[in-house]
Amino acid sequence: MKLVSVIVLAYNSADTIVQTLDSIKDQSYKNIELIVTDDCSPDDTVETVKGWIGRNEGALTKIRLVTAEENTGIPGNINRALKHAAGDYVKLIAADDYMTRDAISEYVRFCEKNPDAIPIARVRLFSDEKLDKNTLAPIEAYCNRCYEFAAITDYKQQYHMLLKQNCIVAPSGSFYPMKVIRELGGYDERYRWFEDYPMHLKVMRAGYRCGFINRELVCYRISGGSITASSRLRLKKAEMKLFFHERMYYMIQAGMAWEAVKQVRYWVKIALKT
């Protein structure tokens, strides 16, 4: 049974991380290395994790807590954990989400049968709040587009879709053979506020396609007030940076010059507004 490194990305997660950790401990797949990586949380996240580790010593193959003296952003937080990871596969999960009991087994089974594909699974949306349809509807629509994307078997079509926009809901994927992550040099720390889209592009440019697991494997927490105006602006700026640094050139190389021109116009408008 191959070792799977499950990396929990924590920041201000004291109220939710125990549920995440319990879902990893309770996996049906038994050869798991758990690495919790905290990005200098000002709350009690680290103390909460230490308490959980003390209560669950020996429950998994390995358990490690990685901390930082300053906040470095999501890609830096992941890369710190990867330095300690020894698994054949790696699964990333945010410290406010959790996995179904057979999630790791399903991911591994898919990868063993499909060595040229990266698995994308359904997610189960949940919330501690009562959310209205106006909040949930666009998230559900985005998830459905993600599943449609993952079900496409033509590599070129998938790649062109991903070049146009990010088609992958982060919790649904983020399971990779470790050799792929190592070969690609880890996560790109130029994009401090998001990690998934740059990695998806690198993985597909390396020749891997995405494949669909038609089961809910990750439970994705939705919060009505979690995305502030300032965080939206940070994400927009990061995505704009990705476009002008990489995505525009990838589009041109893929024969999508007109799409690149259209997106240049869009991002110029965004830049003028910000």
Side-chain angles (χ1 to χ4, degrees), residues 223-237:
S223 173
S226 62
I227 302 179
T228 63
S230 61
S231 65
R232 286 194 188 97
L233 180 60
R234 287 198 301 264
L235 288 171
K236 276 293 182 186
K237 287 183 175 179

Side-chain angles (χ1 to χ4, degrees), residues 6-133:
V6 178
I7 296 177
V8 178
L9 309 178
Y11 181 73
N12 276 3
S13 308
D15 293 337
T16 60
I17 195 168
V18 168
Q19 185 178 28
T20 309
L21 299 177
D22 283 344
S23 78
I24 298 164
K25 178 190 69 174
D26 294 337
Q27 287 295 299
S28 60
Y29 193 91
K30 294 306 179 185
N31 195 16
I32 293 176
E33 167 189 62
L34 168 62
I35 303 174
V36 181
T37 181
D38 180 76
D39 203 14
C40 197
S41 294
D43 71 349
D44 294 329
T45 298
V46 170
E47 289 72 20
T48 300
V49 173
K50 287 179 178 177
W52 186 91
I53 291 173
R55 296 189 300 273
N56 292 279
E57 186 175 354
L60 295 164
T61 302
K62 295 180 184 178
I63 303 176
R64 179 188 291 268
L65 170 63
V66 178
T67 59
E69 294 184 358
E70 62 180 22
N71 183 276
T72 59
I74 301 172
N77 199 26
I78 298 171
N79 287 337
R80 273 195 302 278
L82 287 172
K83 292 177 182 178
H84 303 280
D88 297 287
Y89 295 104
V90 58
K91 169 62 183 168
L92 305 181
I93 185 167
D96 57 353
D97 298 334
Y98 65 94
M99 290 188 285
T100 60
R101 188 173 184 273
D102 59 349
I104 297 299
S105 293
E106 289 293 324
Y107 280 124
V108 171
R109 185 179 298 115
F110 176 92
C111 288
E112 294 292 293
K113 291 182 178 179
N114 304 275
D116 63 338
I118 302 301
I120 304 295
R122 289 184 178 273
V123 297
R124 182 185 306 160
L125 304 179
F126 77 102
S127 178
D128 299 326
E129 311 165 25
K130 186 174 182 180
L131 301 179
D132 59 31
K133 291 183 178 179

Side-chain angles (χ1 to χ4, degrees), residues 160 163-165 243-244 246-268:
H160 282 203
L163 283 173
K164 287 183 179 180
Q165 63 179 1
F243 175 76
F244 285 111
E246 299 177 58
R247 209 156 51 89
M248 179 176 68
Y249 303 102
Y250 297 163
M251 285 181 177
I252 294 169
Q253 290 171 356
M256 300 169 63
W258 179 238
E259 178 65 30
V261 169
K262 289 192 292 184
Q263 293 211 12
V264 165
R265 292 172 178 172
Y266 169 79
W267 288 114
V268 168

